[in-house]
Amino acid sequence: MTKLEPIVGRYTTIQIMGNDCRVYFEEAGQGIPLVCGHTAGADSRQFRHLLCDEEITKHFRVLTFDMPWHGKSTPPVGYNRYEYKLTTQLYVETIRAFCRALELDRPVFMGCSIGGRITLELANSHGAEFRALIGLEAADHQQPWYDTSWLHRPDVHGGEVCAALCSGLVGATSPEEYRHETLWMYMQGGPGVFKGDLYFYRVDSDLRGKLGNIDTARTPLYLLTGEYDLSCTPEDTMRTASTIPGAKVTIMKDMGHFPMSENPKRFRGYIFPMLEEIRQLGRPAAKGQKA
Amino acid sequence: MREISPGSLLPLERELCERFEQCLLGTVNSDEHLVWRGRYLTANIVVQIGATSFLVRIEEGKIKECQKGLPLLCSTVFAVKGTTKAWAAFWENPPKPKWHDIFALTKFGEMSIEGNLQPFMANLQYMKDVLAAPRKGGVK
């Protein structure tokens, strides 16, 4: 028999802000729940390497889900009657609803890009619900670099233009195989979904000066950004971290905006020690040591 | 046509212009898949390197001509204009962070993309790969 990957995919219906949403999620492993949030206009496949990493899944129950409208999750009933726009409130409630539905006990949340931005909001407004938070390519704000109206119009192919724009976000030396796998996911998004996600990013989530409630002593916050990320630059992340006492910043060499999918081996080198650190937090203190 | 005296160009700009002029047709047209990806694009465009403009005639994804200097009153659809520093860094292999993509260069003020951008955006990956052609053997 052919070798099977350890990833298991399931569907569940969860209520998000009054709407029943059929959501697809994948998981592997056991132990501390680690929920992974994909980037705008993409889906949970971005985290497949993490879910297949036995050194991680022997201590972590790694879960990742397609947000409604994305991947194999369906949009809410009636989606055909309005334009999709992700708001900060909808995004926060989607993540919290998923964690509640799966009865996860103080999970770690790790999100990338828009998932990185929402990590900051989760840390600020709901930090106590999480064991630790990891923002990949995360900043409280960043300067736009193109007009998002190009993403959804009849005379430009949405999938192709989304991927072509994102091709510049991948690190210049990331492996060709993974570069194009990452871009393929962008070619497969529904019409207007990437643009709708970016409503959150560009319009509804300027967090500058609004992160004063973050308590990194209670919930550690890690921020990791690739040096090739032209959207969320290392400077954006470092500026953000400078306003959050205790936030730990890592700038990832040779990496772009999609570390987990564009260069999984290199990303592992950065994320594994942090997950080990988080795992140690949950251990009872040895005699004579503070917890 | 605007005359350009080779002696008036700075050495780096002259080197970049020669590189662009020498490799564009051959590199693009010998890549069958790239030409196929650009098969719906027929346009005259401008590529500007420092102070030097090139008229590039694209026909169904093939580069038909790459001419230094713009003929008087010639019509073009869009223009990609970069500083000498921008093109030199963009064509490094591998390029450094912040110099590796045309949108990084526009964001950080080293390049501009002007004109009717619909055909540019509709053929965006093709155009990115054409503009990166002088990065021989480099990543796209």
Side-chain angles (χ1 to χ4, degrees), chain A residues 143 145 150 153 155-156 161 164-165 167-168 170 172-173 179 227-228 230-231 233-235, chain B residues 94-98 100-101 103-104 106-108 116-118 121-122 124-125 128 139-140:
Chain A
Q143 292 301 319
W145 52 283
W150 287 109
R153 47 186 279 168
D155 57 353
V156 175
V161 77
L165 282 161
S167 70
V170 180
T173 56
R179 157 184 290 271
E227 64 174 356
Y228 274 96
L230 71 93
S231 175
T233 64
E235 291 79 9
Chain B
K96 293 183 176 65
K98 295 191 170 67
H100 64 288
D101 183 76
F103 289 101
T106 55
K107 182 176 182 180
F108 301 118
N116 174 13
L117 298 194
Q118 189 279 330
M121 296 301 283
L124 183 56
Q125 192 61 57
K128 280 186 163 192
V139 291
K140 291 174 179 176

Side-chain angles (χ1 to χ4, degrees), chain A residues 52-289:
Chain A
C52 289
D53 190 323
E54 289 179 5
E55 288 300 305
I56 292 174
T57 56
K58 73 181 179 188
H59 298 296
F60 286 87
R61 179 186 177 194
V62 187
L63 304 106
T64 180
F65 67 99
D66 295 342
M67 299 251 291
W69 302 79
H70 301 72
K72 293 166 85 169
S73 295
T74 42
V77 172
Y79 80 88
N80 48 308
R81 294 195 295 270
Y82 63 95
E83 182 184 5
Y84 167 62
K85 286 182 181 175
L86 181 67
T87 62
T88 301
Q89 186 187 9
L90 176 59
Y91 200 178
V92 165
E93 290 312 314
T94 299
I95 294 164
R96 295 177 76 212
F98 178 78
C99 295
R100 277 196 306 270
L102 274 288
E103 298 180 353
L104 306 178
D105 176 26
R106 287 194 77 216
V108 179
F109 180 80
M110 172 166 66
C112 187
S113 182
I114 59 167
R117 176 80 58 83
I118 206 65
T119 296
L120 298 170
E121 175 60 21
L122 291 172
N124 191 62
S125 301
H126 306 283
E129 297 173 21
F130 297 90
R131 190 173 309 232
L133 289 157
I134 305 171
L136 308 174
E137 319 305 322
D140 54 8
H141 175 77
Q142 58 227 43
Q143 292 301 319
W145 52 283
Y146 65 94
D147 177 353
T148 59
S149 67
W150 287 109
L151 301 176
H152 189 206
R153 47 186 279 168
D155 57 353
V156 175
H157 188 286
E160 296 223 36
V161 77
C162 290
L165 282 161
C166 288
S167 70
L169 297 177
V170 180
T173 56
S174 285
E176 281 291 286
E177 176 188 356
Y178 297 130
R179 157 184 290 271
H180 290 289
E181 182 179 316
T182 299
L183 298 180
W184 182 249
M185 296 176 216
Y186 274 89
M187 295 179 194
Q188 294 184 306
V193 173
F194 189 24
K195 180 171 182 277
D197 284 340
L198 295 181
Y199 177 81
F200 159 74
Y201 216 31
R202 298 275 183 94
V203 181
D204 197 46
S205 66
D206 186 344
L207 299 179
R208 286 176 292 184
K210 299 175 184 170
L211 298 175
N213 288 332
I214 294 179
D215 179 356
T216 57
R218 176 196 59 206
T219 306
L221 175 65
Y222 300 86
L223 302 175
L224 298 89
T225 293
E227 64 174 356
Y228 274 96
D229 192 341
L230 71 93
S231 175
C232 175
T233 64
E235 291 79 9
D236 290 326
T237 299
M238 289 189 287
R239 185 203 65 245
T240 302
S242 71
T243 69
I244 307 170
K248 296 180 179 179
V249 183
T250 302
I251 303 305
M252 297 181 283
K253 190 168 167 46
D254 292 335
M255 200 77 88
H257 191 72
F258 312 97
M260 61 285 173
S261 64
E262 70 172 69
N263 201 338
K265 282 183 186 166
R266 182 173 278 274
F267 178 59
R268 188 186 193 281
Y270 287 107
I271 201 66
F272 190 76
M274 287 171 200
L275 292 176
E276 281 298 290
E277 195 173 296
I278 291 167
R279 192 162 71 86
Q280 298 300 328
L281 294 174
R283 287 190 162 187
K287 277 185 181 176
Q289 284 186 327

Side-chain angles (χ1 to χ4, degrees), chain B residues 17-82:
Chain B
C17 289
E18 284 172 6
R19 191 167 160 193
F20 181 69
E21 202 170 11
Q22 284 168 9
C23 88
L24 190 69
L25 268 79
T27 306
V28 173
N29 293 348
S30 64
D31 186 337
E32 278 184 32
H33 190 61
L34 178 57
V35 171
W36 178 79
R37 286 196 282 123
R39 66 197 178 281
Y40 292 113
L41 181 62
T42 295
N44 292 346
I45 69 167
V46 174
V47 175
Q48 189 171 312
I49 300 167
T52 309
S53 293
F54 287 87
L55 176 65
V56 180
R57 297 185 190 277
I58 303 172
E59 199 173 298
E60 296 179 349
K62 277 198 169 172
I63 308 296
K64 287 296 189 185
E65 191 178 12
C66 177
Q67 174 188 324
K68 189 186 282 182
L70 302 182
L72 284 174
L73 303 176
C74 73
S75 291
T76 59
V77 180
F78 57 84
V80 180
K81 300 178 179 179

